[in-house]
Amino acid sequence: MTPWWQSGAIYQVYPRSFQDSDGDGIGDLNGIAARLDHLVALGVDAVWISPIFPSPMADFGYDVADYCGIDPRFGTLADFDALLAAAHERGLKLLLDFVPNHSSSEHPWFRQSRSSRDNPKRDWYIWRDPGPDGGPPNNWISDFGGSAWAWDEATGQYYYHAFLKEQPDLNWRNPDLRRAMMDVLRFWFDRGVDGFRIDVLWHMVKHADFPDNPANPDYRPEMGEMHAVHQLHSTDQPEVHGIAAEMRSIADSYPGDRVLIGEIYLPVERLMHYYGLDAPEVHLPFNFQLIDAPWQARRLARLIGDYEAALPPGGWPNWVLGNHDRPRIATRVGEAQARVAAMLLLTLRGTPTIYYGDEIGLADVAIPADRVQDPRELREPGLGLGRDPVRTPMPWNDSENAGFTTGEPWLPLGPDWRTRNVAAQGVDDASVLVLYKRLLHLRRKHAALATGDFRLLEAEGDVLAYERWQGDERIVVALNLSAEPQPFVIPEGEVLASTLGGEPQPGTLRGDEGVVVLTRP
């Protein structure tokens, strides 16, 4: 029987921005529960919630102070249990965001670790003596800029942080730490959680000798300081695969097809290793290629073909257009092509993940300087690396604050929220929302789209075309990635969906047109 995560679609909720239930301007668990019916109507199968654990919010939840609790801003454990039950009642799976590479500096473990060199938890984090010059142990750079080493005056050593200094990295070479973190997975699986997205999985183990990373000869300051070196020794170490395999064995010990999804930004050939080298690892190593790919048909065709060819036996593909860290698809390709991108995401072979708001065509929102929240933007201003623009509140209707909150939203709404909202698009047959619903409905109705085979088709100009089939059912998808008409002979059959509506023109795809056609035998 096909696991749900192969045939289903996943929806990412950024909890601060989805729905506020108590008027403090920040989304919460009860707010998510109140909007579950939107997700059911949309047609997704699972909800992935970005971190909701207790946190000082130095990095908005990715600095965890307690892995087995709920931050009061979002609610309580009872609220979580109620949300989980409500999701399951509606046939929705619920996934949490596991942050195993680092904790908050306010976590009791780190407080003990930094209290003295001989504390039993000292080795739960990564401590090193100064380098020969008295400075940091090596040249490793934080992903948020600056040295990845923070000096601790009290104990006379540096600790390592791949991100903020408030996010010290955990030492996964310590067996006690490893056991404690595996118990975190069990805690949430025992509560009924259906799986996890694992944050920065490829960062989790560092080279045991901590050598310098090689300089990047192509570095330019506008890339962000983290790119000044290649992260050869600070990420993607061989030992991480044994950890991922242990996580997988825990997930597989629970009933109901629990799933693990790994956040891994690596070239495809290295990404594939996370399906499992010697034992199964994560079910879905996130495939982020569409986020950075040039929006050109031939380039996308090559990317898709190479990815399909690289999959190991039994490896299931997955696709993503955006997330809480990267610019939204509507900003990258424009509103018209965002509709074509939706058709691509939801008809390729593999599990799609939809970022909240993409289903109504949300674009990045310009954030005034005095409203900036993101520590990355505050540390390296002016480089366009800030993530606030893609984390703005979900507009639900045209009431005050778009129905998101009765208070002051933690980030500003987009300028078009009075017309670009769920309620308005729900009654507009030509809206992005209705297109998403139609495509997700087709995935459920047609096995060829959900789990069928795939092959690229020959096409001219800026047309990307492919066929999906299962048994006798064959479906052709043709996408015009330009605003100009392109030659393409649409096969005879039933047009199941179109980005533009109406009847296709013979021998031509209109500008910004994508079609899904059930072909005649």
Side-chain angles (χ1 to χ4, degrees):
M1 185 175 177
T2 302
W4 68 264
W5 50 266
Q6 286 190 3
S7 60
I10 299 169
Y11 184 97
Q12 181 188 357
V13 165
Y14 193 70
R16 293 181 70 90
S17 296
F18 200 60
Q19 178 66 59
D20 173 24
S21 71
D22 58 11
D24 65 358
I26 297 172
D28 47 45
L29 295 179
N30 289 336
I32 297 172
R35 296 297 185 181
L36 288 178
D37 288 341
H38 166 69
L39 304 182
V40 172
L42 182 61
V44 298
D45 300 85
V47 187
W48 150 36
I49 304 176
S50 294
I52 51 176
F53 313 110
S55 168
M57 297 294 167
D59 190 22
F60 293 105
Y62 286 94
D63 49 320
V64 178
D66 177 2
Y67 286 99
C68 296
I70 299 295
D71 191 283
R73 298 170 184 86
F74 299 129
T76 65
L77 267 175
D79 293 331
F80 174 79
D81 290 340
L83 170 61
L84 181 63
H88 286 171
E89 287 170 4
R90 290 163 172 80
L92 293 169
K93 306 291 186 180
L94 194 146
L95 315 180
L96 289 182
D97 211 321
F98 184 44
V99 188
N101 177 71
H102 48 267
S103 77
S104 166
S105 56
E106 298 301 311
H107 196 294
W109 296 346
F110 187 70
R111 288 181 173 177
Q112 293 177 60
S113 182
R114 76 186 309 176
S115 66
S116 71
R117 288 200 184 195
D118 59 1
N119 186 277
K121 286 191 170 56
R122 181 70 169 184
D123 192 47
W124 283 36
Y125 293 82
I126 298 171
W127 294 91
R128 303 289 288 178
D129 290 328
D133 63 354
N138 60 27
N139 71 343
W140 294 2
I141 297 174
S142 160
D143 278 18
F144 289 171
S147 173
W149 296 95
W151 176 249
D152 182 65
E153 187 70 37
T155 58
Q157 284 188 315
Y158 285 88
Y159 68 86
Y160 179 70
H161 57 94
F163 298 92
L164 297 174
K165 65 180 176 59
E166 292 87 359
Q167 295 169 288
D169 278 41
L170 294 160
N171 179 17
W172 277 85
R173 296 182 184 277
N174 181 293
D176 292 332
L177 177 278
R178 181 164 169 165
R179 280 191 292 270
M181 291 298 281
M182 296 300 177
D183 284 344
V184 170
L185 292 179
R186 294 185 180 95
F187 173 86
W188 293 107
F189 276 138
D190 287 344
R191 280 194 114 78
V193 165
D194 298 290
F196 293 90
R197 175 263 194 185
I198 305 171
D199 186 58
V200 296
L201 174 58
W202 85 110
H203 266 271
M204 285 177 54
V205 180
K206 291 74 181 167
H207 193 294
D209 297 328
F210 297 91
D212 278 355
N213 277 327
N216 177 5
D218 301 319
Y219 170 67
R220 303 182 309 279
E222 61 268 23
M223 298 165 65
E225 192 178 357
M226 65 173 284
H227 295 290
V229 298
H230 291 300
Q231 295 181 334
L232 179 66
H233 304 301
S234 51
T235 66
D236 195 30
Q237 299 301 295
E239 296 90 341
V240 75
H241 295 289
I243 295 169
E246 184 176 353
M247 291 178 176
R248 173 64 177 269
S249 69
I250 291 172
D252 287 349
S253 71
Y254 285 83
D257 292 325
R258 313 294 174 103
V259 68
L260 298 179
I261 306 169
E263 184 196 22
I264 305 156
Y265 282 94
L266 288 175
V268 168
E269 64 275 9
R270 290 159 65 191
L271 178 70
M272 295 300 152
H273 295 166
Y274 288 80
Y275 281 103
L277 294 172
D278 301 316
E281 297 180 29
V282 294
H283 302 82
L284 299 173
F286 257 144
N287 171 23
F288 296 118
Q289 293 182 90
L290 292 179
I291 294 179
D292 293 318
W295 203 248
Q296 302 163 3
R298 300 286 72 75
R299 299 283 291 274
L300 288 185
R302 189 178 314 117
L303 177 158
I304 294 165
D306 290 349
Y307 174 74
E308 282 276 355
L311 287 164
W316 185 249
N318 69 94
W319 299 94
V320 181
L321 287 176
N323 58 32
H324 60 292
D325 289 329
R326 307 301 294 274
R328 285 189 179 272
I329 185 65
T331 295
R332 299 199 310 270
V333 303
E335 182 169 356
Q337 280 294 311
R339 299 170 68 94
V340 177
M343 187 168 282
L344 175 70
L345 175 71
L346 298 176
T347 60
L348 282 171
R349 190 177 83 100
T351 304
T353 297
I354 300 164
Y355 186 48
Y356 87 96
D358 281 356
E359 76 270 29
I360 57 171
L362 279 191
D364 294 6
V365 176
I367 308 296
D370 63 348
R371 296 289 304 274
V372 170
Q373 306 275 342
D374 183 19
R376 187 165 192 184
E377 175 69 17
L378 294 171
R379 285 170 65 95
E380 296 186 272
L383 298 182
L385 302 176
R387 300 163 296 176
D388 290 338
V390 306
R391 299 176 173 183
T392 55
M394 182 75 160
W396 293 101
N397 53 50
D398 65 358
S399 66
E400 186 178 4
N401 294 324
F404 165 69
T405 181
T406 57
E408 176 70 16
W410 78 286
L411 282 175
L413 291 154
D416 58 353
W417 64 268
R418 289 194 181 276
T419 54
R420 187 178 301 281
N421 59 65
V422 172
Q425 292 201 11
V427 295
D428 178 2
D429 284 345
S431 69
V432 183
L433 178 58
V434 170
L435 176 64
Y436 265 88
K437 288 181 177 181
R438 184 171 294 127
L439 292 167
L440 286 161
H441 171 73
L442 291 176
R443 284 180 58 87
R444 292 192 173 186
K445 184 177 179 181
H446 297 278
L449 287 177
T451 56
D453 289 323
F454 170 92
R455 71 168 178 175
L456 290 163
L457 300 175
E458 292 291 330
E460 301 176 39
D462 216 3
V463 173
L464 175 64
Y466 45 91
E467 185 177 36
R468 303 293 311 280
W469 74 94
Q470 186 157 307
D472 294 333
E473 185 177 63
R474 292 183 177 269
I475 292 175
V476 169
V477 180
L479 308 171
N480 183 353
L481 272 60
S482 78
E484 302 300 323
Q486 300 287 316
F488 187 80
V489 177
I490 299 172
E492 291 187 5
E494 179 186 356
V495 177
L496 300 176
S498 166
T499 58
L500 299 182
E503 287 298 316
Q505 298 175 359
T508 301
L509 281 176
R510 294 170 288 177
D512 303 316
E513 183 174 28
V515 294
V516 180
V517 181
L518 178 63
T519 63
R520 295 196 178 114

